[in-house]
Amino acid sequence: MRVDVVTAAHAEYADYLPAAWDSLHRQRHPHWTWRVQVDGPPGAVLDALTGCGAAADGRVRISAHGTREGPGVARNIALGACTAPLVQNLDADDELEPGALAALSGALAADPVAGYAVGHARDLHLDGTLHTAPLAVRPGPLARGALAVAWAAALPDRTLPPVHPAGVMWRRSLLLTVGGWAALRGVEDTATLIAGSALATGVLLDVPTLRYRRHDAQRSRRNGNFSGGGDQYLFIWQRASLLAEGPAWEERNSRH
């Protein structure tokens, strides 16, 4: 199946884009399009994509909206332009494992009811070493609501979901059903994953699919004076609870 890979990119992460591009170029799954949505001034991003050759590849679509609005907005703009049935997120500073798109799309092809698929994420450190953290859930089918329940049970000590939210492959129809990426600060991908889990079954692969870069400029490490984290988590859980009470995504999807 065709896959649209969505990346929100801004000038501060432009230097990481050639590595993201290289990880896409090495994919064993051939049917992909890379949709790069530039968040803010496009100059540095365009220079990086031109310099590494990505801009000249017919599978790459680059768009810019001019202002800096944050990753959730940028991804949703790109999502609106997607035409493939599957959507893979790739943050500008991360990399996909070479077999990621093939493994994730294959899992969804094998389970037509599942709304999303995800694998292990390996931390990519500055010295190039990779470290895999154990997951709190077992690989295999993920029941509807399983990730949402496991995530809520670990609060407030652990705020990250049981699987890495940045590396999920979605059926585009489910991603649209949950409203794309949430309008939250720093947890827009967590909120989307928890909402999707409340609506649909998923698949957790027992293979690494994402290389999550650790670096000092990571947006997720910036707290500043923001004090709304607890209320954000409450919002995520309340929305998931309401979605879990209604019909499953596949039931909604079958009506169209």
Side-chain angles (χ1 to χ4, degrees):
M1 286 189 285
R2 293 186 302 113
V3 181
D4 275 318
V5 181
V6 168
T7 296
H10 55 81
E12 191 173 353
Y13 283 9
D15 288 345
Y16 297 116
L17 286 169
W21 161 245
D22 184 61
S23 78
L24 269 171
H25 206 251
R26 291 183 288 112
Q27 290 302 302
R28 293 194 285 270
H29 181 76
H31 306 299
W32 53 264
T33 299
W34 192 22
R35 297 188 180 275
V36 181
Q37 186 67 34
V38 185
D39 192 37
V45 171
L46 293 177
D47 288 346
L49 294 174
T50 300
C52 69
D57 192 295
R59 297 168 294 181
V60 179
R61 307 285 188 271
I62 306 168
S63 183
H65 48 265
T67 56
R68 186 73 179 270
E69 305 295 341
V73 172
R75 291 179 197 140
N76 286 337
I77 292 172
L79 176 60
C82 289
T83 58
L86 303 178
V87 176
Q88 172 71 49
N89 179 68
L90 174 61
D91 286 351
D93 53 340
D94 291 341
E95 301 175 20
L96 292 174
E97 298 280 0
L101 297 184
L104 293 168
S105 63
L108 291 175
D111 187 351
V113 175
Y116 63 97
V118 62
H120 291 269
R122 299 199 289 176
D123 287 344
L124 174 59
H125 296 281
L126 292 175
D127 62 359
T129 58
L130 293 163
H131 176 259
T132 302
L135 297 179
V137 290
R138 292 183 177 181
L142 294 168
R144 180 188 176 194
L147 294 184
V149 171
W151 173 78
L155 292 174
D157 298 327
R158 179 178 172 83
T159 57
L160 292 174
V163 299
H164 206 298
V168 180
M169 179 178 285
W170 295 93
R171 294 197 193 274
R172 184 173 183 264
S173 55
L174 174 59
L175 191 51
L176 289 174
T177 299
V178 299
W181 283 272
L184 297 175
R185 188 182 190 274
V187 292
E188 68 283 340
D189 50 5
T190 293
T192 301
L193 175 60
I194 298 305
S197 168
L199 273 180
T201 61
V203 182
L204 172 58
L205 281 65
D206 196 16
V207 295
T209 56
L210 178 71
R211 295 179 181 179
Y212 180 70
R213 190 183 303 276
R214 295 285 188 178
H215 59 92
D216 293 337
Q218 279 178 294
R219 188 172 180 269
S220 58
R221 294 187 179 186
R222 302 176 185 178
N223 294 319
N225 297 320
F226 182 70
S227 61
D231 289 335
Q232 286 196 142
Y233 301 136
L234 182 60
F235 165 83
I236 293 170
W237 176 244
Q238 288 174 340
R239 181 168 74 148
S241 299
L242 287 172
L243 290 173
E245 292 174 358
W249 164 75
E250 56 265 29
E251 295 174 10
R252 302 169 188 237
N253 201 44
S254 65
R255 300 173 186 172
H256 300 287

